[in-house]
Amino acid sequence: MFKHLKGDLFGGLTAGIVALPLALAFGVSSGLGPTAGLYGAIFISFFAALFGGTNTQISGPTAPMTAVSMVVIAGIMATNDGNLDKALPVILAVFLLAGLLQIVLGFLKLGVYIKYIPYPVVSGFMTAIGVIILITQILPAIGYYPKQDNAYVADFTQKAEAELLAKTLKDNQGENLLTINHFKQTIEEAAVIAPTDIAKEAQNLAGKNASGVIGTIKILPRALQHINWLEFGLALATIAIIYGFKKITTAVPSTLVALIVVSGVAVGFGLPYIPIQEIPAGLPTPHFEIFSQFSFSAISPYIFTALTLALLGAIDSLLTSVVADNMTNTKHKPNKELMGQGIGNTIGALFGGIPGAGATIRTVINIKSGGKTRLSGMIAGILLLIILLALGPVASKIPAAVLAGILVTVGIGVIDYKGLKAIPYLPKDIKLGPIRLSSEMVIMLVVMVLSSVWNLVYAVGIGLVMASLIFMKKIGDLTAKNSVVKQLPLEEAWEDEQQIPTEIDQKIFIKHINGPLFFGSTNEIQQLSAQIPETANIVVFRMDRMPYLDKSGLNVLEDVMLNLTTNGVKLAVVGLREQPKLMMEKINIFPELVPDAQVFPNFETCLTWLKTEL
């Protein structure tokens, strides 16, 4: 491990420096604060490198993982009256579960299957992540915070009172039937509700109403009337330096330069800016309340969300692993990488960090700076821990607008421009009335729109279902097209069928099966019995090109064969492959419907039997 110490040291230090502003920004964006982003970067970077399967990978909070985490945090906060202390154990329990699920995925050796997630789903999701980050950072970039707008918060006072009354009534009722006494008790308690509690609830409702893409768009006209020009200027300066400094040199990370320069100017000149949340000094402490306050009923609604986080982190990490392989001419171990990422996310959650994954840009920077072994990722994590311990109070003075500016550039970079540019050139393979559309474009746009304005988790699920259904239809249509049921010589014969003697060709019927026989491609097989001419005494099933047979296809095939044998037609099977053979043997198609003597490895041996039989 220490053979390439110098390169690993420079690679890890450089990657850690690049990770610092992004970790702080992602933490703020998630809703848990900059500390959560920093803790996530520290633990995931160190432990994913230590236990992972990609030597040069640098892991930590990423844009996709932060976007999903933001949804999780907002949802759990909403069900806990906006109280972070109350919601935190549940939030961290979901993150910890996501890490454990990644370990399970690696243990079950499912890493190799991640690559089968369709590109349109990934493209639509990534573009949506960029859109979400861009739009939700508009408000902090212009210095407008809904919870601090007293006039806006006042609009939610009555709704806040109603929410508190409903909550009080629910608490009084418990699991009992609702009675008049519950109402009387609620009225008595409502009389002593403090104005500060109503004001706090109104703030939470105002913040919730202005959150997310839809909330930001709704409140944007009001926000533009209350622009904090200093905050807006700091955000613009950050964005300008990030893009401008890259043109001067890429040896020094432009994001770090923007963070130091803009923050230094704001602090040095004593500008009245809005700082980020305070970063506590000292070592991170574990949140054992995750276990002491654990409730399955509280976490059960988020199990699918935790699985989504686990799968998203797996995709993000393994794609980065492929990039690292291409740059270093190595081969990563996907299942080990998943286990490493899972361990990192599990420990990170235990210490209050947001989840993360393999970060492509940080990994590339590590490799270009000399990193060659897993030690480089561990060094990056240690560097961030040192920065936390030594510079925590200094980092607390960073302007919030600077991190908003950094996130704007992250959002712009995450959008999948390659996928968007390809939309006009995608094949239009589905027809809706008079309109022809590209199925890949439809999937991409559906995932992108639903992810942006509704729910990231559900949007991905819908995209996967759509992609699966369209794929199955295409395969079914292709199989049916290549498996036309016609009698020879009307059907175009395969090359080895050209030598069939004329005197027997009217007495046989050859059924070609091209491609897999599954539930989406059984229609032509079902029609077989009705299309066999009366002169045919033998039906030959050509299965040379049938690589796969599912239960639906097996059942249909059995019904057809049973119907044929009942009508006195003999059957022959040619070129049967291993998987279909095992399926057919399980239900005794051999030898009950087709004797073993009538199962042939190739058509040449079958033709010899046909000549003898006829």
Side-chain angles (χ1 to χ4, degrees):
M1 182 182 288
F2 298 99
K3 182 179 179 181
H4 305 283
L5 180 59
K6 182 178 179 182
D8 289 336
L9 182 63
F10 280 108
L13 291 176
T14 307
I17 291 171
V18 172
L20 174 63
L22 293 175
L24 295 172
F26 287 139
V28 171
S29 176
S30 73
L32 287 186
T35 306
L38 200 52
Y39 286 176
I42 291 169
F43 290 104
I44 299 170
S45 178
F46 185 88
F47 287 103
L50 179 61
F51 295 105
T54 312
N55 286 340
T56 53
Q57 180 137 286
I58 303 295
S59 302
T62 63
M65 294 293 280
T66 303
V68 178
S69 301
M70 183 169 55
V71 175
V72 175
I73 293 164
I76 297 175
M77 288 277 287
T79 59
N80 287 274
D81 308 318
N83 188 326
L84 181 58
D85 292 335
K86 185 178 177 182
L88 190 60
V90 181
I91 293 170
L92 296 181
V94 173
F95 293 163
L96 187 143
L97 178 60
L100 293 175
L101 287 172
Q102 282 185 322
I103 296 174
V104 171
L105 291 174
F107 181 77
L108 295 177
K109 301 187 183 303
L110 298 178
V112 294
Y113 295 101
I114 299 296
K115 63 184 178 183
Y116 293 113
I117 294 180
Y119 172 75
V121 175
V122 176
S123 176
F125 180 81
M126 294 303 293
T127 299
I129 294 298
V131 170
I132 291 170
I133 292 174
L134 280 173
I135 294 179
T136 56
Q137 291 308 306
I138 292 175
L139 299 186
I142 62 177
Y144 179 79
Y145 295 89
K147 288 185 177 182
Q148 298 175 10
D149 185 344
N150 294 330
Y152 180 68
V153 171
D155 294 338
F156 293 88
T157 301
Q158 289 186 340
K159 189 174 180 180
E161 292 175 350
E163 291 283 343
L164 290 173
L165 284 173
K167 181 179 180 299
T168 303
L169 181 59
K170 183 178 179 182
D171 291 343
N172 290 334
Q173 178 187 358
E175 297 181 358
N176 303 318
L177 292 173
L178 188 62
T179 66
I180 293 177
N181 289 331
H182 293 136
F183 283 102
K184 289 181 179 179
Q185 186 177 354
T186 300
I187 292 171
E188 292 173 359
E189 293 182 15
V192 295
I193 292 178
T196 53
D197 292 335
I198 297 174
K200 184 178 179 180
E201 181 65 21
Q203 276 190 332
N204 291 333
L205 291 173
K208 182 180 177 181
N209 191 64
S211 65
V213 172
I214 298 297
T216 301
I217 293 173
K218 286 195 300 185
I219 203 173
L220 189 57
R222 180 182 182 89
L224 292 175
Q225 297 174 4
H226 297 79
I227 294 179
N228 183 322
W229 292 103
L230 173 60
E231 297 291 307
F232 186 46
L234 293 175
L236 285 181
T238 302
I239 296 169
I241 292 174
I242 289 174
Y243 286 119
F245 194 80
K246 288 180 181 178
K247 297 180 179 179
I248 299 173
T249 179
T250 56
V252 181
S254 61
T255 304
L256 183 65
V257 172
L259 177 71
I260 294 173
V261 170
V262 180
S263 299
V265 169
V267 174
F269 285 90
L271 301 179
Y273 64 87
I274 301 172
I276 62 174
Q277 299 174 27
E278 184 177 352
I279 299 176
L283 290 168
T285 55
H287 291 258
F288 291 120
E289 65 269 21
I290 297 176
F291 308 106
S292 61
Q293 300 179 24
F294 179 81
S295 168
F296 183 77
S297 59
I299 198 175
S300 58
Y302 304 100
I303 290 177
F304 182 69
T305 305
L307 178 60
T308 302
L309 268 171
L311 291 174
L312 177 60
I315 296 168
D316 215 354
S317 300
L318 295 182
L319 287 176
T320 302
S321 297
V322 172
V323 172
D325 285 348
N326 292 335
M327 293 184 67
T328 59
N329 196 27
T330 56
K331 180 68 175 176
H332 73 281
K333 299 175 182 177
N335 297 311
K336 187 178 180 183
E337 182 61 37
L338 288 188
M339 295 184 73
Q341 292 292 332
I343 293 170
N345 278 310
T346 300
I347 297 175
L350 183 61
F351 282 88
I354 60 174
T360 304
I361 293 178
R362 278 162 267 176
T363 299
V364 170
I365 288 172
N366 174 44
I367 294 170
K368 288 185 176 180
S369 301
K372 292 186 180 299
T373 74
R374 62 186 69 247
L375 186 62
S376 57
M378 297 164 66
I379 290 173
I382 293 171
L383 173 66
L384 291 172
L385 178 61
I386 293 172
I387 292 174
L388 169 69
L389 297 177
L391 301 176
V394 176
S396 298
K397 296 181 180 180
I398 296 172
V402 171
L403 297 187
I406 291 172
L407 284 172
V408 167
T409 63
V410 170
I412 293 172
V414 166
I415 293 174
D416 183 23
Y417 299 102
K418 181 181 178 181
L420 293 175
K421 289 178 181 177
I423 286 178
Y425 308 104
L426 294 173
K428 295 178 173 56
D429 51 357
I430 57 175
K431 189 175 182 180
L432 299 175
I435 304 174
R436 295 192 68 87
L437 298 171
S438 164
S439 59
E440 293 192 357
M441 178 197 72
V442 171
I443 294 169
M444 190 186 303
L445 294 180
V446 166
V447 173
M448 182 182 73
V449 173
L450 292 182
S451 296
S452 301
V453 303
W454 181 42
N455 187 293
L456 284 163
V457 177
Y458 295 156
V460 171
I462 290 171
L464 287 173
V465 170
M466 287 178 63
S468 300
L469 290 174
I470 291 172
F471 171 76
M472 287 185 289
K473 183 181 185 304
K474 286 181 178 180
I475 293 297
D477 291 345
L478 184 62
T479 303
K481 180 181 178 181
N482 293 333
S483 187
V484 181
V485 181
K486 291 181 181 178
Q487 182 188 9
L488 286 171
L490 297 179
E491 179 180 339
E492 184 178 347
W494 289 0
E495 185 176 350
D496 56 359
E497 297 168 358
Q498 302 289 344
Q499 305 302 320
I500 299 176
T502 307
E503 59 269 21
I504 69 170
D505 67 354
Q506 295 299 316
K507 298 178 181 180
I508 66 173
F509 186 93
I510 299 180
K511 173 61 183 142
H512 297 139
I513 302 179
N514 277 325
L517 182 57
F518 67 110
F519 63 87
S521 61
T522 57
N523 188 52
E524 293 293 336
I525 296 291
Q526 288 174 321
Q527 299 174 19
L528 179 62
S529 298
Q531 297 183 26
I532 295 177
E534 295 180 358
T535 57
N537 298 325
I538 297 176
V539 172
V540 180
F541 288 88
R542 295 295 306 269
M543 298 183 176
D544 315 52
R545 303 175 188 177
M546 187 182 76
Y548 176 76
L549 176 68
D550 77 349
K551 190 66 171 63
S552 298
L554 179 65
N555 291 340
V556 171
L557 193 60
E558 181 187 24
D559 291 342
V560 169
M561 287 182 166
L562 182 61
N563 185 47
L564 289 172
T565 54
T566 302
N567 292 329
V569 178
K570 290 186 177 182
L571 306 178
V573 175
V574 178
L576 189 62
R577 297 192 183 185
E578 183 177 357
Q579 191 272 343
K581 181 181 179 182
L582 291 173
M583 292 288 288
M584 295 168 75
E585 286 177 343
K586 285 181 180 179
I587 61 171
N588 297 321
I589 287 181
F590 312 121
E592 290 187 4
L593 297 179
V594 184
D596 292 335
Q598 293 164 213
V599 179
F600 305 99
N602 53 60
F603 189 71
E604 182 180 354
T605 55
C606 178
L607 184 56
T608 302
W609 174 79
L610 287 171
K611 290 176 182 178
T612 304
E613 195 71 19
L614 298 174

